[in-house]
Amino acid sequence: MTPAIQVDQVVKRYGDREVLHGIDLDITPGEFVVIVGRSGCGKSTLLRLIAGLESIDDGHLRRDGDTEDGLLDDARVMFQDARLLPWKKVLDNVALGLPKTQRAQAAEVLAQVGLAERAGEWPARLSGGQRQRVALARALVKRPKLLLLDEPLGALDKKLREQTQFELVNLQEKLGVTFIIVTHDQEEAMTLASRIGVMKSGKILQVGSPTDIYEFPNSRYVADFIGSVNLFDGQLVVDEPDHCRIRCERLGIDVFVDHGVSAAPDAAVTVALRPEKIRLVRERPEQRDNVVRGIVTGVAYLGDSTRFLLQLPNGTRLQVTRPNTDRRDERYSYDDEVWAFWEPGSPVVVSR
């Protein structure tokens, strides 16, 4: 299948400052791709290049297999600010630029975003989330093949943002439009994307499904950026095809992992261990490996889960998250002595 967008070694400079360093990214038709990264990493610049709002300085940018310059005719860009015209009612905002014969099409798209009953309202009477949905309808009304969104939900409160995220996913699946979103919100990226690209300092470090990015990060930075994680630097002391051991001084143990890592002997590596992969018990478990003792020094009840902060005998801190699946689950409190342990398949070994 010909990529809808093919970014090949794209470089962007502003004066003497290079802000994108040889970006590679292929996006297939109908995908929902989210580019995520901290402010200033270059994600919005990449979006503007794909949209044709700015020109590239080196490399190639292809649309449906062809190199194109300028704003793409069948692409629409939606920014965080809904930018509705306050002197036009909702339906008129959506139908902006359409001939009168296609006004029914504007009403249809407005219904698809769940706002048919607000067609005659003024934008000022809408909530922030509703204004964003009107802007989305306006972007979709001309049936673009490609929709590019720059932090589209950043101005919404948490509950409304979560609701709108699911609406976006459902709408994208219904219409089959290729979506590209840039955001700094990791949770938003995990919720929306069929694939995520993690950016840092003008480079894409990893592209993959939300599961790949979370469970199999390819670097310390990606592991740390997406979700909560315990990171422990160590030294590879055993590396066999079916297992390896990493000596982690901060944990006070050798971490056993049930696969090899194909690294040089004594290589410096990092163990990434997600808090929800760790279990807590009051008595030392029977398993020999991957067991540490600690004192509970922090408890945060989050409703669906509880997060604990443990302090190990050498002062190292360990985050542990337990799902609250039963209201009568055993509780742990401040100063409780506990044992933490994890399965050999839980840690991820990444380069420093």
Side-chain angles (χ1 to χ4, degrees), residues 27-335:
I27 298 171
T28 58
E31 270 200 294
F32 201 135
V33 174
V34 179
I35 308 298
V36 65
R38 294 190 172 93
S39 297
C41 71
K43 57 187 184 296
S44 292
T45 300
L46 177 59
L47 190 80
R48 292 176 68 83
L49 294 181
I50 293 173
L53 297 173
E54 297 190 31
S55 59
I56 66 175
D57 292 311
D58 203 356
H60 299 281
L61 180 57
R62 300 180 179 90
R63 173 81 166 83
D64 292 333
D66 297 322
T67 301
E68 296 191 18
D69 296 319
L71 186 62
L72 300 177
D73 291 335
D74 53 0
R76 291 293 177 268
V77 185
M78 179 180 164
F79 297 97
Q80 180 174 334
D81 180 359
R83 302 185 183 185
L84 303 183
L85 300 180
W87 60 87
K88 287 184 176 289
K89 292 185 177 180
V90 166
L91 184 59
D92 295 324
N93 265 280
V94 176
L96 199 64
L98 288 179
K100 290 183 178 180
T101 55
Q102 295 182 21
R103 194 172 177 84
Q105 185 173 313
E108 177 187 342
V109 176
L110 196 57
Q112 287 175 334
V113 299
L115 289 175
E117 75 283 358
R118 310 305 292 268
E121 297 277 4
W122 298 103
R125 296 179 62 86
L126 303 181
S127 68
Q130 288 170 334
R131 286 195 292 271
Q132 288 296 91
R133 281 189 279 166
V134 173
L136 180 62
R138 185 175 60 188
L140 290 169
V141 73
K142 293 186 178 179
R143 305 299 189 195
K145 289 184 179 179
L146 176 66
L147 184 60
L148 304 120
L149 304 99
D150 191 354
E151 301 275 6
L153 310 180
L156 308 183
D157 63 57
K158 180 176 173 60
K159 184 165 288 190
L160 185 56
R161 188 164 65 246
E162 291 174 349
Q163 176 185 337
T164 308
Q165 286 168 3
F166 286 109
E167 290 172 352
L168 271 178
V169 171
N170 291 334
L171 191 61
Q172 191 267 343
E173 290 180 351
K174 183 188 301 181
L175 299 177
V177 177
T178 304
F179 274 45
I180 305 175
I181 288 184
V182 300
T183 181
H184 66 278
D185 188 323
Q186 306 98 311
E187 185 176 330
E188 184 169 291
M190 297 287 286
T191 303
L192 293 173
S194 56
R195 282 196 305 150
I196 296 173
V198 182
M199 284 193 72
K200 178 189 178 186
S201 303
K203 296 180 179 180
I204 294 182
L205 301 185
Q206 185 174 357
V207 180
S209 69
T211 300
D212 288 339
I213 296 292
Y214 188 83
E215 300 288 0
F216 306 101
N218 65 0
S219 67
R220 181 189 178 104
Y221 182 88
V222 173
D224 193 24
F225 185 76
I226 300 293
S228 298
V229 69
N230 298 286
L231 294 171
F232 300 104
D233 291 337
Q235 184 180 33
L236 188 64
V237 292
V238 175
D239 187 15
E240 300 292 341
D242 62 346
H243 73 278
C244 67
R245 288 185 180 274
I246 297 96
R247 182 151 298 156
C248 296
E249 292 186 5
R250 287 185 56 217
L251 278 174
I253 61 171
D254 289 356
V255 175
F256 179 77
V257 182
D258 64 2
H259 59 78
V261 295
S262 301
D266 300 324
V269 295
T270 295
V271 173
L273 183 60
R274 300 289 183 188
E276 72 276 8
K277 311 290 188 188
I278 305 172
R279 296 173 62 189
L280 291 181
V281 291
R282 294 193 182 276
E283 302 294 331
R284 194 188 197 290
E286 294 183 1
Q287 73 179 51
R288 186 185 68 177
D289 294 306
N290 302 337
V291 179
V292 294
R293 179 173 59 88
I295 301 294
V296 177
T297 59
V299 180
Y301 180 78
L302 304 176
D304 60 343
S305 62
T306 301
R307 179 161 296 178
F308 298 93
L309 187 62
L310 307 186
Q311 182 168 307
L312 308 188
N314 63 2
T316 295
R317 294 189 172 188
L318 185 69
Q319 291 185 69
V320 181
T321 300
R322 296 182 73 222
N324 294 324
T325 55
D326 191 320
R327 287 184 296 167
R328 296 173 179 80
D329 276 350
E330 183 175 14
R331 309 287 181 178
Y332 298 97
S333 302
Y334 289 90
D335 297 329

